[in-house]
Amino acid sequence: MFIPENLINEHFDDRYFDVVNALDEARQIYFKNNNIFERIVEARELEMPFIIGELGFGAGRIVVSLMEFIEESGLKDVDIEYYSVELYPLSSERICSILDGFKSRVGREIKALVKEYEKIDRKVPGWHSMKIGQPFGSLKLKLWIGEALEMVSALEKPCDVWFLDGHGPKKNPSMWRPELLMAIGEKTKTGGSCSTFTVAVAVQKALKEAGFSVEKLPGCGGKKENLYALKK
Ligand SMILES: C[S@@+](CC[C@H](N)C(=O)[O-])C[C@H]1O[C@@H](n2cnc3c(N)ncnc32)[C@H](O)[C@@H]1O
């Protein structure tokens, strides 16, 4: 398969995401497998924000796909807090160029994200807040520029759900180290969950040790199975 050069993260020699069906892949692995539609409805009924954590912001493809997913659901008055982290933040130009192939489907969402992202100073470590107004409600994005464990430790509240998207464990073992996944367990609500594209045995083991029960759920595209983990 031809892989456009700008899709490769030069720090890890790995792709930011699958080239062809990355928006649908995000839906299956991160939104459907975590049942987030029903859980957003529940949070809204309790007048609570729905809190999402993500390891690996990259080009923001999951955020863009999430905006599309919630908009399509027809839900209104949704309040999402989205915490993400990036050690090597991309320029807004590179993000636009990486997401360019999705413009005809999610052009409005890409524009909304980039408009806020280009206001932050990527050279400054720590939290950067972006408020992305959406027809369905509000998406408060807080991006930590720096290392993943620092971000998880800096989180003041536990998340309802985590999207673990930190390159493959072979290419980037640091994003799957037991210490980091233990911290994810500590920053997940009881009954909360996480999911990821990898089914690596070491990841399953570390998630179990972090207090999750782990199961394999249907994958998307080239991947038959993905991991889903429920915090007990
Ligand atoms: C697979 S990409 C994420 C793709 C992204 N979720 C998207 O949909 O566009 C993984 C990201 O994690 C970042 N990363 C890798 N190791 C990291 C670490 N230890 N701390 C913070 N970010 C890290 C990489 O630079 C890369 O942007």
Side-chain angles (χ1 to χ4, degrees):
M1 177 171 47
F2 170 71
I3 299 170
E5 211 175 297
N6 70 356
L7 205 60
I8 303 281
N9 184 339
E10 56 278 18
H11 300 282
F12 300 97
D13 186 27
D14 198 18
R15 279 178 280 173
Y16 282 99
F17 49 74
D18 195 328
V19 193
V20 185
N21 56 4
L23 299 176
D24 295 329
E25 183 197 60
R27 279 187 180 220
Q28 182 64 45
I29 304 177
Y30 301 110
F31 314 153
K32 293 191 177 160
N33 285 359
N34 281 302
N35 224 5
I36 70 161
F37 173 77
E38 287 79 1
R39 292 170 64 197
I40 290 173
V41 171
E42 270 170 35
R44 201 184 52 161
E45 278 164 6
L46 296 168
E47 297 185 10
M48 309 257 285
F50 188 71
I51 306 177
I52 299 175
E54 177 191 48
L55 289 193
F57 181 74
R61 171 263 328 211
I62 297 181
V63 182
V64 162
S65 184
L66 179 71
M67 289 191 254
E68 182 201 36
F69 179 75
I70 303 177
E71 183 58 25
E72 271 183 28
S73 75
L75 287 174
K76 294 284 174 215
D77 303 322
V78 173
D79 182 8
I80 305 281
E81 291 183 15
Y82 194 104
Y83 297 88
S84 190
V85 60
E86 183 51 57
L87 189 54
Y88 301 109
L90 296 169
S91 67
S92 33
E93 291 77 18
R94 177 120 183 247
I95 288 184
C96 287
S97 128
I98 290 176
L99 298 180
D100 192 61
F102 306 124
K103 237 172 34 192
S104 59
R105 179 165 155 184
V106 285
R108 185 190 61 76
E109 289 84 351
I110 295 171
K111 234 180 174 172
L113 171 65
V114 172
K115 187 173 162 230
E116 292 306 311
Y117 183 86
E118 61 195 6
K119 291 181 195 161
I120 70 171
D121 184 350
R122 290 177 284 122
K123 287 185 230 73
V124 178
W127 289 122
H128 295 263
S129 298
M130 291 165 254
K131 189 162 180 201
I132 308 177
Q134 285 297 291
F136 58 74
S138 99
L139 175 63
K140 292 169 206 126
L141 169 61
K142 281 187 88 173
L143 176 63
W144 180 275
I145 307 281
E147 213 281 325
L149 186 57
E150 289 171 8
M151 173 270 204
V152 181
S153 308
L155 270 181
E156 286 171 5
K157 28 189 178 180
C159 293
D160 290 289
V161 68
W162 281 93
F163 305 153
L164 307 181
D165 193 25
H167 290 303
K170 283 196 184 132
K171 297 271 184 174
N172 185 20
S174 80
M175 277 295 234
W176 307 97
R177 60 198 198 272
E179 184 194 15
L180 176 57
L181 296 182
M182 187 61 79
I184 294 285
E186 284 161 13
K187 292 286 166 70
T188 307
K189 293 179 185 177
T190 302
S193 63
C194 68
S195 64
T196 178
F197 61 90
T198 178
V199 291
V201 174
V203 173
Q204 295 188 41
K205 182 169 176 276
L207 285 171
K208 284 179 192 160
E209 282 167 3
F212 292 92
S213 61
V214 175
E215 71 179 293
K216 290 182 191 163
L217 289 182
C220 179
K223 296 194 189 84
K224 268 200 252 138
E225 293 179 315
N226 301 128
L227 276 193
Y228 163 77
L230 176 69
K231 176 79 189 304
K232 293 178 279 181

